[in-house]
Amino acid sequence: MAVALAAGCSPADGPFHGQEVSWSPCHDEEEITADREADRAWLEDLECGTVTVPLDHDAPGGGTLDIALVRAPASGPPEEHRGSLVVNPGGPGASGVRALASPLFGDDVRAAFDLVSFDPRGVGRSGGFACGDRYALFDAQRSVAGTDPGDLDAARLQPLADAARAYARACEERVGREFLAHIGTVNVARDLDIVRDALGEERLNFVGYSYGARIGALYAHMYPEHTRTLVMDGAVATGTSNAEAAVDQVAAFQHAWETFLADCVAEVDACPFAGADRGRGSGGSGPASEADVRMAELLERLDRNPERAEGIPVDGRTLLTMVDMALYRETSWDHLADALTALAEDDAQGTERHLGRLYDDTFGRYAAEAEAAGAEPGTGHQDPGAAFTAVRCADRTDPEDVVAYRDAADEAADVSPLFGPGPVWDQLPCAYWPETEEAPADVTAPDAPPIVVVGTVGDPAVPYPWAREAAERLETATLVTYEGGGHTVYGWGRSPCVDDAVDAYLLTGAVPPAGLSCPPST
């Protein structure tokens, strides 16, 4: 649960301002040599440091946290240097230090700015932690899989409630009530101002992806006089509970899946969904589409007779998770289409080969991210979901009755029988969370300089309407629309139209034209 924080005024500089970062190389020769896939020159240039922040910004004389920083110095000549550009990759729970392990953005931006990122409080090297047995939450979800959430009575809901309550209690016992009370985004924004000051910047340049966009919006609202440029790529919803937001995300995944299906049919001769109705109709509700029925049959077949990828058994649940991950990046769609086609054709050799490629492109990538975001060694298992849950529970006001989650899960199952109620059940620990400091929902940043919001129409994780709503709510914001798919778009080279407009804004302050809409990549 959360208690509201009054918003509107900019906190004054405190005793933790005035620090200087002591930078040193992030990697030694042995580490650089061991990472065969890394850009050697990039890793050699990376510098790491820390800044110290108070655990409770309202009581700066108490406990402290060290926030881990990483910097890639500007590649251009000194006379072209425009200061620091701080980047947050999202999450909550994603490691900014890890995100800067490979080059970001185009040559002009890298030449002009020192690229800086950080692990927010509770993430990675900034106090990363594990809670209780997260797998018990998954087991409880599996116990009701296949049952219409609306049919779950109190007895059937009890295992879900027990697992969520146990996880929340274990989290509090593991890291303490005070830590959980101050892990939310409002305190990350306060930390960011200390980082900005330690970098020697009078005003902040910032690019935030997904949850990182929430950090940026809140910073501009609290510190408008310290903001220069702010890019929000993939804005998140505010003013709703986590359960309500999860229903929106399920709808976005369904939309992204239907966009992928259209691409598969257009690009792959043997696409197994050719000729099938692919839409859900008005409002995304009603009976499952023919394409979704075919996919459900494929998942059921794998549950009976799992295939293998990289030596790992792939059942229906594992494949659906791989589909989720592949929808995050348009560059993964070819591998996904190849794997589903081989499975549908019952091609043993092709299935093993293409599932292996899809596994590498999804779980392989996730494993590295989980390692970076997980707990300290010796906790028994990685728990990259700990910070994700803790921040989400801190930032929003959530219902405390499991029935409210059941109703939201029922709505999600109606929106998408394929992706179903799981994302709603993931939010259930928030019903039992200790009291926290809630970030304000009515963030308008009226005194901030121009802000750029980027929204992707087919984003599976942050629905495009959230970006549109953020651009309308933030008084100085301009919306740039990418008509393609995938989770966030700026700086990945997928849309020169988006990249050019945002680059110009960061470098010169020139705001993109109102209503700019960029076509999907081909």
Side-chain angles (χ1 to χ4, degrees):
M1 72 179 67
V3 292
L5 171 74
C9 60
S10 171
D13 289 353
F16 287 82
H17 287 73
Q19 299 180 58
E20 292 185 9
V21 184
S22 177
W23 298 104
S24 61
C26 291
H27 305 285
D28 59 28
E29 178 64 24
E30 182 178 352
E31 291 172 327
I32 295 173
T33 303
D35 193 344
R36 297 180 180 179
E37 297 183 0
D39 183 319
R40 182 182 181 88
W42 180 267
L43 290 184
E44 287 176 340
D45 286 344
L46 286 183
E47 301 169 327
C48 287
T50 61
V51 297
T52 302
V53 301
L55 177 59
D56 181 353
H57 283 265
D58 292 329
T64 62
L65 291 169
D66 286 336
I67 301 299
L69 305 177
V70 62
R71 178 174 71 175
S75 61
E79 60 271 18
E80 296 180 5
H81 191 203
R82 299 175 185 271
S84 300
L85 173 60
V86 180
V87 185
N88 180 273
S95 167
V97 172
R98 176 76 187 182
L100 217 59
S102 56
L104 293 178
F105 308 134
D107 291 342
D108 291 345
V109 171
R110 293 207 302 265
F113 292 102
D114 291 338
L115 301 186
V116 177
S117 195
F118 65 102
D119 286 352
R121 54 174 57 206
V123 175
R125 301 178 188 176
S126 300
F129 63 101
C131 289
D133 184 0
R134 195 166 194 88
Y135 302 106
L137 295 173
F138 301 151
D139 290 341
Q141 288 186 33
R142 281 193 287 268
S143 73
V144 298
T147 303
D148 186 333
D151 293 336
L152 296 174
D153 58 17
R156 296 291 304 279
L157 289 170
Q158 197 60 50
L160 285 161
D162 289 345
R165 184 184 290 106
Y167 184 83
R169 183 180 298 121
C171 215
E172 185 176 348
E173 292 173 352
R174 173 70 181 163
V175 297
R177 178 179 287 264
E178 183 182 14
F179 183 84
L180 294 180
H182 296 100
I183 199 174
T185 307
V186 66
N187 288 298
V188 176
R190 289 164 168 161
D191 296 343
L192 180 56
D193 196 58
I194 293 174
V195 170
R196 186 264 321 155
D197 181 74
L199 294 173
E201 303 294 347
E202 182 177 346
R203 296 196 297 161
L204 178 74
N205 299 293
F206 183 83
V207 175
Y209 294 97
S210 192
Y211 164 72
R214 173 66 166 149
I215 298 173
L218 193 54
Y219 183 90
H221 188 71
M222 297 169 66
Y223 302 96
E225 74 281 7
H226 290 162
T227 303
R228 177 183 174 267
T229 57
L230 171 63
V231 179
M232 299 168 55
D233 189 348
V236 300
T238 61
T240 63
S241 72
N242 283 300
E244 292 168 330
V247 174
D248 289 346
Q249 289 178 306
V250 168
F253 267 99
Q254 180 67 29
H255 176 69
W257 166 248
E258 291 170 8
T259 303
F260 160 76
L261 292 177
D263 183 80
C264 178
V265 170
E267 301 295 333
V268 180
D269 291 338
C271 177
F273 306 102
D277 169 56
R278 301 185 297 272
R280 301 287 329 284
S282 177
S285 60
S289 69
E290 187 178 348
D292 285 358
V293 170
R294 291 185 189 181
M295 185 62 185
E297 291 171 349
L298 194 60
L299 298 174
E300 290 170 4
R301 193 188 91 194
L302 285 177
D303 283 334
R304 294 191 301 270
N305 298 293
E307 298 285 353
R308 300 191 74 81
E310 302 292 328
I312 305 297
V314 176
D315 59 10
R317 181 182 179 87
T318 304
L319 178 62
L320 188 58
T321 303
M322 293 161 72
V323 171
D324 288 351
M325 294 178 177
L327 291 177
Y328 269 67
R329 299 196 301 174
E330 287 176 304
T331 53
S332 300
W333 288 12
D334 287 346
H335 290 161
L336 177 58
D338 289 341
L340 294 179
T341 301
L343 281 165
E345 293 178 343
D346 208 11
D347 173 7
Q349 272 192 324
T351 293
E352 184 174 2
R353 181 173 70 256
H354 292 305
L355 269 184
R357 290 176 179 171
L358 181 61
Y359 187 91
D360 285 343
D361 200 34
T362 54
F363 276 104
R365 171 167 49 90
Y366 175 78
E369 295 171 355
E371 180 180 357
E376 69 272 19
T379 57
H381 66 274
Q382 294 291 333
D383 185 13
F388 177 87
T389 299
V391 174
R392 288 182 69 115
C393 294
D395 274 5
R396 300 173 186 267
T397 300
D398 292 294
E400 299 178 26
D401 184 352
V402 68
V403 172
Y405 294 84
R406 181 199 65 188
D407 293 345
D410 194 37
E411 184 179 355
D414 188 50
V415 165
S416 175
L418 181 62
F419 296 101
V424 174
W425 295 131
D426 288 342
Q427 315 308 318
L428 191 51
C430 294
Y432 310 103
W433 212 253
E435 190 173 88
T436 63
E437 186 176 39
E438 178 190 357
D442 56 341
V443 173
T444 57
D447 299 320
I451 294 169
V452 172
V453 177
V454 181
T456 296
V457 170
D459 196 314
V462 283
Y464 175 72
W466 290 0
R468 198 170 53 220
E469 186 274 333
E472 293 171 354
R473 175 171 37 82
L474 294 163
E475 295 188 15
T476 65
T478 296
L479 177 64
V480 173
T481 297
Y482 175 57
E483 299 288 347
H487 182 42
T488 70
V489 62
Y490 171 63
W492 311 128
R494 290 182 10 237
S495 173
C497 170
V498 173
D499 288 353
D500 290 348
V502 178
D503 284 356
Y505 165 70
L506 290 171
L507 292 167
T508 69
V511 178
L516 177 62
S517 185
C518 296
S521 58
T522 57

